[in-house]
Amino acid sequence: MAVKAVECLHELSRVIDLASLEGLTIAQDYDDALSNLEEIFTPPPLVLIGDDEGDSGGVLATRPDGNIRHHIVLRMTALAGFSESSVGVFENALGALARQCARVDSSACFDQAFPGFIFGPLPADTADARRRATYFSCWEAFSTAWLSAPFARNQSKWLEGQFLETLAVTRLRAAEALGVGFARVDPQSALLQVHSYYRVLLRDCAAHLGNIIGQQLSVADFPRSLHALEAHWFSDAYADMDITLRHIASQMGRWPDLELFEQIAEIADGLAQTHAYAL
């Protein structure tokens, strides 16, 4: 398994920039591996990128000498396909590895454009911190799916299903959060919770769009998504995300500032105000 993973890593490096990658850990006990690596990577800062629920692993990023460095940590089960003869199972393992390689490339590119941003503390202002968390999580989800799409075609069903599931429950959860918050005379906490629900929706939307764009397809190639978005309250936001993320991707590494990323936060704020505050 390890030998095959290294071979595939070499092949992936022909397409995905892995210049900042310093190591790969295939972990039987994922959480334990992360803890041990955190002790090795000193002094801080140390940031874990990815590690989403149901994902294959994550990427540890550090900046010890002013240059970003990465270490991929993968769950052993995610790479089990490298030991199998089935083509489909092998593709699943390759896709899992490609997703983490994409995180290495995209975060290195982001750090080059905005040095130290990933490692900096969140702004003290709650609204600024919320906006930053929104657009960076969306960029991470989009770029991971976008850059890995040619090698992770099996992720399409998973990413689409994740988006549609979140789409189905977000507005209801936002309304419930508002009701509970105001009932407890705690509207500020309720509004923060509302924003977090819409942030997750945009993140899952960004991942789905990244996969679609990375495979050079359109939403028309995904009938379930096309049907779900037809005359839906989220359809305009979906179109705005599509346009914005394509602009961001077209300027990969050449962003003069964070203006395009801030547009993602604007979309999230607009959703929260229009579809939650009015409820």
Side-chain angles (χ1 to χ4, degrees):
M1 179 190 298
V3 173
K4 180 59 68 174
V6 172
E7 290 176 357
C8 290
L9 200 63
H10 178 71
E11 292 301 315
L12 288 168
S13 71
R14 299 176 185 274
V15 181
I16 301 174
D17 188 351
L18 299 178
S20 63
L21 181 63
E22 292 193 333
L24 166 68
T25 295
I26 301 172
Q28 187 168 5
D29 188 327
Y30 178 76
D31 293 331
D32 185 58
L34 284 180
S35 298
N36 291 335
L37 285 167
E38 285 176 358
E39 294 177 3
I40 294 172
F41 284 111
T42 56
L46 182 67
V47 173
L48 178 61
I49 302 172
D51 193 35
D52 299 324
E53 183 178 352
D55 206 347
S56 56
V59 174
L60 285 167
T62 187
R63 214 168 185 266
D65 55 1
N67 297 305
I68 194 168
R69 296 287 183 266
H70 294 93
H71 190 103
I72 294 174
V73 186
L74 278 160
R75 294 177 171 86
M76 184 178 289
T77 52
L79 300 186
F82 284 150
S83 303
E84 302 289 337
S85 57
S86 169
V87 174
V89 177
F90 179 87
E91 288 180 349
N92 287 341
L94 178 61
L97 181 59
R99 284 180 59 79
Q100 306 312 324
C101 290
R103 287 184 168 125
V104 171
D105 188 351
S106 64
S107 59
C109 192
F110 194 91
D111 186 72
Q112 185 175 10
F114 311 110
F117 177 96
I118 296 172
F119 303 95
L122 287 174
D125 182 79
T126 303
D128 288 344
R130 182 190 71 232
R131 290 170 62 85
R132 172 170 162 170
T134 296
Y135 65 69
F136 187 75
S137 66
C138 288
W139 161 247
E140 192 277 324
F142 171 81
S143 58
T144 297
W146 172 46
L147 294 173
S148 66
F151 312 98
R153 298 186 185 278
N154 290 348
Q155 73 179 353
S156 294
K157 185 176 181 180
W158 168 50
L159 292 177
E160 182 185 32
Q162 186 172 260
F163 164 61
L164 293 177
E165 181 179 336
T166 306
L167 180 65
V169 301
T170 296
R171 203 174 188 186
L172 176 60
R173 287 177 175 171
E176 289 175 344
L178 279 178
V180 170
F182 281 101
R184 294 179 178 173
V185 196
D186 189 14
Q188 190 58 43
S189 295
L191 294 178
L192 287 174
Q193 187 64 53
V194 167
H195 276 281
S196 72
Y197 286 136
Y198 283 102
R199 179 173 68 246
V200 171
L201 174 58
L202 288 192
R203 181 202 66 190
D204 291 349
C205 173
H208 186 31
L209 279 167
N211 180 63
I212 290 173
I213 295 170
Q215 294 196 45
Q216 299 182 336
L217 301 173
S218 73
V219 69
D221 296 297
F222 293 80
R224 287 203 304 155
S225 295
L226 189 66
H227 176 72
L229 289 167
E230 187 176 357
H232 195 279
W233 58 262
F234 187 70
S235 59
D236 288 343
Y238 180 91
D240 290 341
M241 286 288 286
D242 191 357
I243 293 170
T244 301
L245 289 168
R246 287 178 188 272
H247 283 169
I248 292 173
S250 69
Q251 297 181 32
M252 180 77 165
R254 296 178 287 104
W255 311 295
D257 51 43
L258 289 164
E259 182 179 355
L260 281 174
F261 294 92
E262 286 281 358
Q263 289 179 21
I264 296 174
E266 292 290 341
I267 295 170
D269 285 349
L271 282 171
Q273 292 167 8
T274 302
H275 297 292
Y277 295 173
L279 291 173

